[in-house]
Amino acid sequence: MNYWLFKTEPDDISLDDIKAAKTKGLRWDGIRNFQARNFLRDQLAVGDGVFIYHSQCKTVGIVGTAEVTRAAYADPAQFDKDSKYFDAKATTDVPRWFCVDIRYTGTLKKPLLLSQLKADPRLSDMVLIKQGRLSIQPVTQQEWRYLHTLAQTETES
DNA sequence: GCCAACGTTGGC
DNA sequence: GCCAACGTTGGC
């Protein structure tokens, strides 16, 4: 069991969208960064915990949680000429890009703002703090637990 | 909208 | 295989 943080622009996909998909969940696709791709493809497993983080918006920070319901499979968008995620170098035999499915598991009572996380010395080693631009990143078990104590998730399912 | 950080591309 | 140019991310 591992833990992760997924960034998303809420104008595109927000925690509410994930929540609205209910137990059916949704596909987390369009990852086109190799480092993020490698985590996704090689390490994400069914049941892993995911923090959902909103970027490029007014309230930047962690807003809720989800869990992985399907491990990596080839991202169909890379083969779709009409998709902005189309990649001419990808073939069905040798896909370049992968996606997973996730489902909503909870909303934080209060979002954990980036400014707050940055100011917390216990989180100075978080990938989020050390490496700004990475849309899928690992979270340690200690960080996962500590962030939950900070936020007190109310779990629904 | 600006700009810093950083990943990727491509010429040599 | 180096490195400059370029593109993208993402906070502010």
Side-chain angles (χ1 to χ4, degrees), chain A residues 3-20:
Chain A
Y3 302 100
W4 308 94
L5 182 146
F6 287 9
K7 288 186 185 173
T8 181
E9 298 177 26
D11 286 347
D12 186 13
I13 296 183
S14 70
L15 183 66
D16 282 344
D17 296 324
I18 300 168
K19 186 175 181 180

Side-chain angles (χ1 to χ4, degrees), chain A residues 123-132 134 137-139 143:
Chain A
L123 296 171
S124 57
D125 285 336
M126 263 194 93
V127 178
L128 182 69
I129 307 302
K130 292 209 295 196
Q131 186 180 348
L134 186 58
Q137 52 180 261
V139 172
E143 287 161 355

Side-chain angles (χ1 to χ4, degrees), chain A residues 94-152:
Chain A
V94 188
R96 291 185 98 198
W97 307 110
F98 294 82
C99 55
V100 295
D101 292 350
I102 62 167
R103 74 172 177 90
Y104 172 84
T105 52
T107 300
L108 303 191
K109 281 179 180 161
K110 271 169 67 179
L112 297 169
L113 301 180
L114 178 61
S115 53
Q116 175 189 353
L117 303 179
K118 273 185 174 167
D120 191 326
R122 289 188 60 178
L123 296 171
S124 57
D125 285 336
M126 263 194 93
V127 178
L128 182 69
I129 307 302
K130 292 209 295 196
Q131 186 180 348
R133 305 177 319 142
L134 186 58
S135 55
I136 290 188
Q137 52 180 261
V139 172
T140 67
Q141 190 175 56
Q142 296 93 302
E143 287 161 355
W144 178 265
R145 287 209 193 109
Y146 178 60
L147 288 163
H148 271 94
T149 62
L150 286 182
Q152 294 182 307

Side-chain angles (χ1 to χ4, degrees), chain A residues 78-89:
Chain A
Q78 69 193 305
F79 309 123
D80 177 2
K81 280 209 173 74
D82 296 328
S83 169
K84 67 170 174 173
Y85 296 121
F86 176 72
D87 186 340
K89 291 181 189 163

